[in-house]
Amino acid sequence: MEQYHFSGYATRNDLLCGDGRTIRKNAFKGCDGVRVPLVWNHIHDDPNAVLGHAILENRDDGVYAYCTFNDESQGRNAHNLVKHGDVRALSIWANQLKQIGGDVIHGVIRELSLVL
């Protein structure tokens, strides 16, 4: 694994998400080892919101992320916010979702966000 600034769960399995969906085991298995942008608060249409990137790892209990900040001012600022515990949450944005009822059984993670 390349050097990273922090790591944590991008998403956990079998927990009700804020959008009313529940992500099931291996729903994002195809994203294992994939590099995705790390952005601020799901702003994925503004290059100034890109903070760095994350390498995703599919695990039995969810998707884990190894995150690296870029050396731009917004990346350095976000690094400090995480380092000091001011921002402590991650959220995914995914598409190509396949669901059974409210259960997500397949999808593709396109970005990982730092969120308040």
Side-chain angles (χ1 to χ4, degrees):
M1 182 66 55
E2 67 181 79
Q3 183 64 27
Y4 55 90
H5 292 113
F6 77 98
S7 63
Y9 277 92
T11 186
R12 300 292 294 260
N13 297 338
D14 304 322
L15 298 175
L16 184 64
C17 297
D19 64 2
R21 296 178 174 130
T22 302
I23 297 168
R24 297 301 179 188
K25 183 178 179 179
N26 291 325
F28 300 113
K29 185 178 183 177
C31 298
D32 188 52
V34 171
R35 178 177 167 154
V36 296
L38 178 65
V39 303
W40 178 251
N41 205 35
H42 294 295
I43 302 170
H44 46 256
D45 60 354
D46 180 359
N48 293 311
V50 176
L51 308 172
H53 68 271
I55 305 295
L56 304 177
E57 179 181 83
N58 190 62
R59 295 183 174 182
D60 285 341
D61 57 348
V63 178
Y64 201 78
Y66 298 91
C67 302
T68 303
F69 292 107
N70 63 35
D71 196 35
E72 299 299 321
S73 62
Q74 65 273 22
R76 291 190 305 271
N77 183 53
H79 185 190
N80 282 324
L81 292 171
V82 170
K83 183 168 68 173
H84 294 288
D86 302 319
V87 177
R88 302 179 53 172
L90 294 169
S91 178
I92 62 169
W93 180 73
N95 63 8
Q96 298 181 10
L97 299 179
K98 292 183 184 172
Q99 292 183 220
I100 298 175
D103 292 346
V104 176
I105 59 169
H106 174 77
V108 178
I109 297 173
R110 299 297 183 181
E111 55 103 314
L112 183 63
S113 283
L114 280 179
V115 294
L116 295 175

